[in-house]
Amino acid sequence: MLTFISCAKTMTDKIHLSSTCRTSVPAFDTLAQQCAAELAAMSTQELGKLLRVSEKIAAENRHRYFSFLSGDGELYPALLSYTGMVFKHIQAQDFTDDDFNYAQQHLLITSFLYGLLRPLDLIRNYRLEGNVKLESAKGETMFNFWKPILTDFFIARIQEQGGVLVNLASDEMKNLFDWKAVCDSVRVVSPEFYVLKNGKPANVTVYAKMCRGEMTRFILKNHIESPDALKGFDWEGFTFDETRSDEGRLVFVME
């Protein structure tokens, strides 16, 4: 069983890694370097317009992209680099070596710059969106650029881990792949999290992100190997609802 989560926009530069696990190089590091070189060549104003961010954030990320060319700055394991809500709830800072080694084989993280990342892949801080078009990406959006590159790679990784994908990524990440080909090749199980309001399930984004992180942690810390075992997930009142679930959709609700 392989679990799949989204990257986050925010990243950290303060990491203390106590693990002695062997780190790795991203599978598509060369392509990431090529895209980073193009982004580093832009002015702060150009980068701000491309990323649709403030001048301050654009300047910070221009400096980040310079580090790809100079080799300066730190490289950090991907699972510890992002600071979004999902990653805050994974809490990988307290992982043991055994947890990290298991995660390295059973977890993939999306990245608009790096394509797909294993938890111990060393990366530099960056910011990039899926709808950005780059010449180094053949003038395509990052979604369209990565789709033919990642699809077979992704399917192969899932099949190596038993042919079951637990999809805890946001919906937009499906656009990085030929999702129909993925679903035709492997079993996809998508946990969903809802809050009951007046007896009706409502999707509350912040809770959904928290639960994705907590379930990822649950899988990695307990070395979960079967989708059925996910039904035992229980966090802050979210519990499995069999009546709303089916083979490809595991629904968890909080009353």
Side-chain angles (χ1 to χ4, degrees), residues 203-254:
N203 189 339
V204 180
T205 300
V206 67
Y207 278 128
K209 289 182 177 180
M210 289 178 180
C211 286
R212 287 174 190 158
E214 291 290 340
M215 179 168 280
T216 302
R217 179 178 173 83
F218 174 72
I219 292 169
L220 300 179
K221 294 290 287 184
N222 294 284
H223 298 194
I224 301 296
E225 298 283 356
S226 164
D228 282 342
L230 296 179
K231 297 174 183 179
F233 174 77
D234 182 346
W235 179 75
E236 294 295 320
F238 283 91
T239 57
F240 179 64
D241 187 336
E242 188 169 5
T243 62
R244 292 184 169 91
S245 302
D246 55 42
E247 185 178 350
R249 191 166 157 263
L250 299 181
V251 176
F252 297 80
V253 298
M254 179 176 71

Side-chain angles (χ1 to χ4, degrees), residues 17-212:
L17 179 63
S18 59
S19 170
T20 58
C21 293
R22 181 179 296 179
T23 55
S24 49
V25 176
F28 305 103
D29 190 60
T30 300
L31 294 176
Q33 298 289 336
Q34 292 171 2
C35 293
E38 180 178 344
L39 290 158
M42 296 181 182
S43 68
T44 298
Q45 291 72 27
E46 289 171 332
L47 195 58
K49 183 177 180 181
L50 184 75
L51 300 179
R52 298 180 182 179
V53 295
S54 67
E55 185 174 345
K56 179 181 178 181
I57 293 175
E60 177 188 25
N61 282 279
R62 187 164 184 253
H63 178 73
R64 286 174 168 179
Y65 282 119
F66 274 132
S67 74
F68 280 78
L69 305 182
S70 66
D72 296 336
E74 294 292 333
L75 290 160
Y76 295 118
L79 189 57
L80 295 170
S81 294
Y82 299 102
T83 60
M85 187 66 71
V86 170
F87 293 87
K88 287 178 180 177
H89 282 263
I90 294 174
Q91 300 177 66
Q93 292 81 1
D94 71 2
F95 275 22
T96 65
D97 284 2
D98 193 36
D99 295 333
F100 274 117
N101 284 325
Y102 183 82
Q104 182 76 346
Q105 300 300 318
H106 295 271
L107 179 68
L108 287 177
I109 306 164
T110 62
S111 167
F112 296 125
L113 183 64
Y114 287 96
L116 279 171
L117 293 164
R118 294 167 296 178
L120 292 171
D121 282 347
L122 292 178
I123 64 173
R124 297 186 187 280
N125 285 359
Y126 69 93
R127 180 151 177 167
L128 191 59
E129 303 296 337
N131 58 3
V132 166
K133 294 182 179 180
L134 297 176
E135 289 304 314
S136 50
K138 302 177 182 179
E140 300 270 13
T141 65
M142 301 312 295
F143 285 120
N144 290 336
F145 171 67
W146 283 117
K147 187 176 294 186
I149 297 170
L150 295 182
T151 299
D152 287 344
F153 175 87
F154 190 41
I155 291 170
R157 287 298 308 275
I158 300 165
Q159 291 174 336
E160 287 170 8
Q161 297 303 329
V164 177
L165 174 70
V166 178
N167 176 23
L168 287 168
S170 58
D171 280 346
E172 71 167 342
M173 296 305 170
K174 294 177 182 178
N175 296 319
L176 286 167
F177 315 93
D178 179 342
W179 196 250
K180 183 179 183 303
V182 173
C183 293
D184 287 344
S185 302
V186 303
R187 179 186 173 190
V188 178
V189 177
S190 299
E192 298 177 7
F193 307 94
Y194 298 99
V195 176
L196 289 184
K197 294 185 176 181
N198 299 320
K200 296 182 179 180
N203 189 339
V204 180
T205 300
V206 67
Y207 278 128
K209 289 182 177 180
M210 289 178 180
C211 286
R212 287 174 190 158

